Amino acid sequence: MSEKEKESILDEVKNNLKYAEDEWKDNYERGIKDKEFVTVKGAQWDKGSVEKRTEEGKPSFEINLLRAYCNQQENTQRQNRPQAKVVPVDNGADPEIAKLLEGLIKDTEEASDFESACDTAVSNAIFSGIGFVRIVTDYVSEDSFNQEPRFMAVHNPQAVYIDPQSKAYDGSDMNWAIVGEWVEKDVITKQYGNDSIADIEMEQYSDWCNDKDNLVRIVEYFKKEEVPDTLWMLTDGTIDFKSKILKDFDAAEEDLRAEGLIENERETTRTAIKWYKVSGNKVLDETEFPGKYIPIVPVYGGVTFIEEERYIFSLIHFAKDPQRLYNYWKSTEAEVLQQTQKYQDKPVVSAEAVAGHEEMWQNPDKFAALYYNQIATDGQPQPVPYRMSPAQPPIAILGAAESSKQSITDILNMHAPMMGGDSQEVSGVAIGMRQRQSETAQFNFQDNTNKMVRQCARILLGLYQALYTVPMMRRIIGVDGEAQTVNLFDKTAEGVIADVTIGRYDVRMDTGPSYNTQREQNFQMIMQLLSMNPQLFAIIGDILLQNSPLLNAKEIAERIKKTMPPNLLGEEGELNSEQAKAQIQQMDQIVQKMTADLEQLQKLVDDKDQDRQLEMVKVQLQAEKDIQVAKINASSRADVQELRGVVELLKQKIDIANAPPQWTQQGEGVENYSPSPTDLPSQPMEYEQPIEPAQDMTSPPSEGFLMSEENAQNLALEPDQFEESAMIENVLPVEQQDGSQF
């Protein structure tokens, strides 16, 4: 890079910095004031007002209600962390590679503590209207040439200036960005030389240098450029830019043309992200960041555009005035009580009545009794002395305080049920509806967080395809937190070459409870199912252990699985029609038993809404039984895993949130649950992965088990669709020779 080009970049950085500071100044100042309002003591009062009230002896209380609302919103998002799901978008992409990329994303998140970076950005968005997350690349180790991406938290969002022309909520359309930091002068001098810190143009950019603290402001400058290039298509079908192909082949263009490898070409441009490190007078460093996105991702709070001007707001910005009113009226209430406290319990007596007993009434604690003159000088009786009763604050003051408090709730639309307080709603359904209304009112914060996470995942996809171009060992993490290692560019267990550089992939978002939370809910639901029908333990006992909070639950489940009969694990072949009918009959008996149990529970429930919910559950149970019958009738065979998934279908169909309270009632937390030997049946257990719910269909015709050909639906999967296929033999225990069941 020539000196002239460096000077041009330096001027460009300074001009863009000045432009961004002018554009973002109002929003950043507003955000800082909002954060101080709920964080710094004294920020909820005007400074002059506090001094005046102090001189007058009046209290100035800060009863910070808004802080709780900010914490509620922040913690709600922590409990519902968004998850990035990678999906293939062209023929060159493979679903198995998409799962591998998704595992790489989770590994990057865990290795670089993405949760902390995300929480910092979300907290800044809630408190000040905007936050940022950064993605950087670093070498895997000191003795490696391979790089890997990492997340970096941005604690001071006001030190980041993005392109003011960027309108996308995830910042994907920004053309440049500047990140500032304060560095000791000695560090810069040692690394880049004494001339890196000069006084050139320091007068115009006075905030670039801080002589008092011996600090200098260094900025990182990201710039998106469209670089002219040529798109090549090779004879083997490879399509890529000329610059990259020449680098990968390590050959001259003439050699490739001489061998006839170039089949087609056209002139185009490619997106390049330039990175510069700049001081006040010098470009200190430069490189090219892999990928096509600037690795700085914003997360906004509230955003409103008026023409071309952007306004960003924190969660509590429009509730600051009600908070000030609440502080004022509560302080006034305390002031009134303070004034009346001076006279509380003071005796009221005439001077003539205490004549001769003045010392006694001045120091009443020294005397066992107080005397007064009952008869006045005129012979008339004296009134009996009495003590002043404590005064009560005026009703108007109390009403004004409660009114201002209610105004905060109305503005934020975060009502008592959402904040964990009492409400006027009686039924659980009504409380849940009110909670959802409150969550919807502030859903823009969650949605903006989703956009941020999605953009971060897209940046990572580009980095993986740019950095992971050679064989290497990498760790991937599944949704359950289990880690495994894969060799890139080798065959996976599914027989797919683990090449992340081929194909195009995109990201969709999945927001909800964490995997551990879902596992705990599954455990509770399975326990309820087993209490209703213990016969199900022979089928789902291993799933119960797998979802239990035991530390070694997986190992126990695996050991028990080895003791289970092979036919129950799906290692045998087809069933004949008679066996299939027997299995269907036993499944029908299970469904009937569960339906009867539900009817018993229904008698104990008084809420009409829950009555209707229970009725829906019964219909769903019957539908699931009919679906399994139709599968067997349509193909005369079924997979063991398919039939065993009936239980998982039941679990998915019965919404735990709408189940009767008896189902979900807990004593201790799940994390402290330690089952006793009597809590668990004695049958062996096996873990099974949940299957997708079958599609709804009408019940089979009454003519028999076999459906007519024109009405039959092939709902069962074909044998070649399973890695291991087996029939439904012994999924449910068949009748014993003596005719007994189970």
Side-chain angles (χ1 to χ4, degrees), residues 52 59 74 112 138 167 183 187 203 225 264 293 297 332 366 378 397 407 415 438 460 474 549 554 580:
K52 183 178 180 181
E74 182 178 3
S112 56
D138 195 8
K167 300 297 191 296
V183 184
V187 176
E203 294 181 358
E225 291 185 356
N264 197 3
Y293 295 110
V297 187
T332 302
K366 296 181 178 180
D378 59 357
I397 295 178
S407 296
H415 301 282
S438 299
L460 289 180
R474 295 300 306 171
K554 185 176 181 180

Side-chain angles (χ1 to χ4, degrees), residues 459-488:
I459 295 175
L460 289 180
L461 292 180
L463 291 178
Y464 294 149
Q465 294 188 329
L467 300 177
Y468 297 163
T469 58
V470 296
M472 65 178 68
M473 183 79 71
R474 295 300 306 171
R475 183 183 70 168
I476 62 175
I477 299 178
V479 294
D480 57 354
E482 295 290 332
Q484 59 177 317
T485 57
V486 296
N487 290 316
L488 297 183

